[in-house]
Structure formats: structure tokens, C-alpha cells
Amino acid sequence: MRGMASLAAALTALTLVMLGGSAVLAEGGGVTVIHAGTLLDRPGEPPRSRQTLVVENGRIRERLEGYRDAESFGDDAVLVDLRDHFVMPGMMDMHVHIQGELGPANDRDRLRLSDADVGMRSVSYAGKTLMAGFTTVRDLGAEPTHLFALRDAIAKGWVAGPRIVGAGNVTVTGGHGDVDGMRHDLLELYTPKTACDGPYDCRRAVRQAIKFGADVIKIQSTGGVLSDTTTGTGQQVADDELKEIVTTAHALGRKVAAHAHAAEGINAALRAGVDSIEHGSYADAQSIRLFKETGAYLVPTLLAGDTVVKMAEGSGFMPQAIREKALRVGNDMKGNFAKAFSAGVKVAFGTDSGVSRHGTNGQEAVLMNEAGMPAMDVLKSMTVNAADLIDMSDSLGTLEPGKHADIVAFAGDPLDDIRAVLAVNFVMKGGVIHKQP
């Protein structure tokens, strides 16, 4: 018990340093009154002006027209003046990797850093993500023990960070998500226990991931850009394996997210019944039909494509097998996303942060907007749609009475210029203020 208390104290100290000394670990109690100059309480609907939000015990209590005196809600009510700000629900990122960042030191770090080191580093990355205005994330690939520990520590108020929906990663042997690019003895050492072959072994892998704490199952339907192999980006998980993974996950109450680049892998995953396609780089006409038939979301991760192209062009650390895929896929992603969105595919916001730097998540919104997605639809994708994807529409996504008080504010209006989301001045999560003007 003393060891656990010492660890909690260490994490608390790290969080306080990271967030500038503010004690912001527990869910907010008492009453906070927010004056919002422009309030987008329900993204997808027109914003309101001159509004008062009342927050109590971490939840939205009520929304009122005009600016109401804080004293009318109790002598201890705290006033937050955002009359010159654009206020909206906390942003959500449906595809992050909170434990690392792509760069030339990755191979060295894998050998030198323990899992515990990586877990502690993820506390820092979580803090950066929260301070960028992202109050909920879905992590789709990490060392599970420490990911789930971070998720639970944040939920308990031990450290500050975004609410985490954590994935268990299921992959086929030699596929994207399995370990690669190492000498043979290290390949054996690092091979994940949820690598599988054949439908029944993949059933076992799903059950094992859920046993150890997975909120969602991540599968790798196709090859990936950052696998250090020349196996391409085509389908790698067989149809019967995909079907068994989805059936098993759904039976145990878990959704399935499928990494997929090539059309045949996208379509196979959609036919199997996955709940989201990550990347979807080469979705074709059949993909679009299947998206609409199944109701699955596309999580486009344009920022990852933009990042790997710039790295491939401007740095020398990428192996040739990765560099060639990065230039090809990264340059194609934005145009293919535009086709899917214009055809009516549902979109949830996701960046693949960890490929890009944590805390720069808002750049995805700029890229989506540049690809032709209207600003309101971008904001809806990171709130209403994201909440729907993770089955949390009853508590997240809008600022309605009874929902979590996850609130962000910008000095600029993102409906006029989406780049306003890059400069977050106010962050509240669960009624706790983490950042303010």
C-alpha cells in the first residue's frame, strides 16, 4: 500500500509540474457559472450568443439566456468570464497513441525504456492532449497494462488527462500491429500475446484483450505505412478471421475499430461488421455503399498522412520500405477523404497522434476543412459524432443538462476560421478548470 501511495504521489507531482502547479485532479464540485459570448452547445445547430452555463458537481446543470449573476446561484459560486470567447463542448480524438511519438529515436527507446518508463511518459503526453482542448480520446494501440493504468488513474483523479477509451490490439502474425524490423530473438520477445492465426485463435485473442481491460478492439485489416516490411497496404486479415473477431467482440459488448488502407481490406472489414474504419485511404464506391449500409464511421487521420509525407521528404531516419509507403499513401489520403465525405459517409474526428506530436491534434481540423469539409461538420465530427462512436452520447458531445461539463473556448470563431481550434484558451473537464485565459 505504501508503494502505491508513493506512486500516486509521484504521478500527482508530475501532473502539477506539467500543468503549471494547478491542483486539478478531482472532478469539480460546487457551482461554476460561465458567461459565454458565443455558445455552440449543440454542434450541428446554430450557435447562441450571450449565454450562461451553470456547472455543478462536474455536470451541466442548466443553460440560460443572457448573463446571470454568479451570486444568484450561491455565495460560493465561481464566475468564469468568457464573454469574448467562442465556447463549445470539449473536443474528442478517436485515434491516438498516447505512449509515444514517431521519430528517429524510436528504435533506441524501445530498447532503453521500460514499460514503466513509457507509462510515465504517457502522463506527459496525456497532459499535452488535454491542454490542447481534447477532453476525451480513444487510444488504438499501446502497451496495454500501462495504458489501462493511465486510463484508470485519470478516471480516479490521480493525474490530469483526457478521458481514455483504451483498445486491445488484435493482429495476425506478421501483419501490421505485430512486431517487425528487429533481429529474430527480439521479434520473439516482443511478439504480442494477441497476435493470432485463424478464426478460433483470433477469438482467443479478442477474449484475452478484453480480459485484461480493453474497452474496444483494434484490428489491422490491411498492412500499414509504418510497418518496417515490404508487405504492402493490402488486406492481411482473412475474411473468416475478421468475422470471428467482430462477432466475439460484439458478444462481449465491445466495438471494433479496423485499421484499413486498401479498398479490399476496408470492404472486408465493413462486411464483417466493424464499427469504424481508421484511415480508409483508398475507399472505393463499394466501400461507400458498405459504410452507408452498416452505419460504420470513417476516422480519416489526415494529420498522420501529412506528417509522414513531411518526414519522408525531410528526414533520413525512415527505412526505405516505410518511406515509399509514406509518400504514396500520405499524399493520397486527403483526396480520398473528400470523396467519402461528399458521398455521405459518417465521419468521426481522429488524428493518429503519436505519429504526429501530441498536443497538435487540432491540425486535423484544418486538414479536414482544406479537403472540403465545412467547419460546422468538422466541429460536429469531434463532438457529436465522436460521442456516438464510443456510445457516450448520453454524457458527452453536447452541453446539455446532465452531461459531463467538458468545455473548451477559443478567442476566435472556428466557424469563421477553423484555425481558431489551434489556440485553446479555456479547458474544463468534468467541471474542473485545467486552463483559462
Side-chain angles (χ1 to χ4, degrees), residues 4 20 26 48 139 163 174 177 206 218 222 291 329 331 344 347 382:
M4 289 298 294
R48 311 171 191 268
D139 191 299
R163 190 175 291 102
V206 171
K218 163 80 174 298
T222 74
F291 268 115
V329 177
N331 279 312
V347 175
M382 62 171 61

Side-chain angles (χ1 to χ4, degrees), residues 143-145 148 151 166-171 191-196 199-218 244-245 248-249 252 254:
E143 193 287 316
T145 302
F148 302 151
R151 172 196 65 192
N169 189 41
V170 174
T171 182
T191 295
K193 293 180 180 180
T194 50
C196 60
Y200 302 125
D201 191 32
C202 288
R203 178 193 295 175
R204 172 205 58 80
V206 171
R207 289 172 172 171
Q208 179 158 341
I210 294 171
K211 172 182 177 179
F212 284 92
D215 301 310
V216 62
I217 295 298
K218 163 80 174 298
E244 191 63 41
I245 289 168
T248 304
L252 293 173
R254 301 299 191 272

Side-chain angles (χ1 to χ4, degrees), residues 102 225-226 261 279 281-282 299-315 317-318 322-323 325-337 350-357 360-371 419 422:
L102 180 62
V225 170
L226 296 179
H261 287 294
H279 318 303
S281 307
Y282 295 103
V299 181
T301 68
L302 301 183
L303 182 55
D306 184 70
T307 299
V308 297
V309 167
K310 290 175 179 175
M311 285 188 174
E313 292 175 340
S315 66
F317 79 90
M318 282 185 173
I322 293 179
R323 184 176 182 277
K325 289 181 289 183
L327 291 171
R328 174 174 57 83
V329 177
N331 279 312
D332 290 341
M333 290 177 75
K334 189 183 288 188
N336 287 313
F337 161 70
T351 61
D352 211 355
S353 288
V355 175
S356 53
R357 292 191 177 279
T360 66
N361 311 59
Q363 290 286 352
E364 177 80 14
V366 177
L367 294 170
M368 294 167 78
N369 187 238
E370 289 175 351
R419 293 180 181 275
L422 303 179

Side-chain angles (χ1 to χ4, degrees), residues 62-238:
E62 56 187 323
R63 177 193 58 80
L64 301 167
E65 299 287 338
Y67 299 137
R68 307 298 180 91
D69 290 337
E71 293 81 3
S72 64
F73 300 98
D75 293 340
D76 295 330
V78 175
L79 175 64
V80 177
D81 185 358
L82 298 174
R83 287 178 293 177
D84 57 352
H85 280 71
F86 184 101
V87 180
M88 63 173 279
M91 298 180 285
M92 293 187 268
D93 190 332
M94 294 294 98
H95 192 133
V96 305
H97 301 280
I98 206 74
Q99 290 180 348
E101 286 182 347
L102 180 62
N106 289 160
D107 287 344
R108 180 200 67 192
D109 287 350
R110 175 170 263 175
L111 295 174
R112 290 188 175 184
L113 298 182
S114 68
D115 287 344
D117 291 330
V118 172
M120 291 300 293
R121 184 175 63 182
S122 70
V123 175
S124 173
Y125 291 148
K128 291 180 179 180
T129 302
L130 179 63
M131 298 301 275
F134 286 83
T135 54
T136 300
V137 300
R138 191 176 59 153
D139 191 299
L140 293 185
E143 193 287 316
T145 302
H146 288 85
L147 172 64
F148 302 151
L150 176 63
R151 172 196 65 192
D152 297 345
I154 291 170
K156 293 173 182 177
W158 295 352
V159 298
R163 190 175 291 102
I164 294 177
V165 176
N169 189 41
V170 174
T171 182
V172 294
T173 299
H176 185 61
D178 197 359
V179 66
D180 49 49
M182 295 183 176
R183 70 192 199 205
H184 290 184
D185 57 332
L186 292 179
L187 290 175
E188 292 177 359
L189 177 64
Y190 284 108
T191 295
K193 293 180 180 180
T194 50
C196 60
D197 293 288
Y200 302 125
D201 191 32
C202 288
R203 178 193 295 175
R204 172 205 58 80
V206 171
R207 289 172 172 171
Q208 179 158 341
I210 294 171
K211 172 182 177 179
F212 284 92
D215 301 310
V216 62
I217 295 298
K218 163 80 174 298
I219 62 175
Q220 327 288 337
S221 180
T222 74
V225 170
L226 296 179
S227 291
D228 189 9
T229 67
T230 56
T231 51
T233 54
Q235 184 175 347
Q236 293 183 345
V237 185

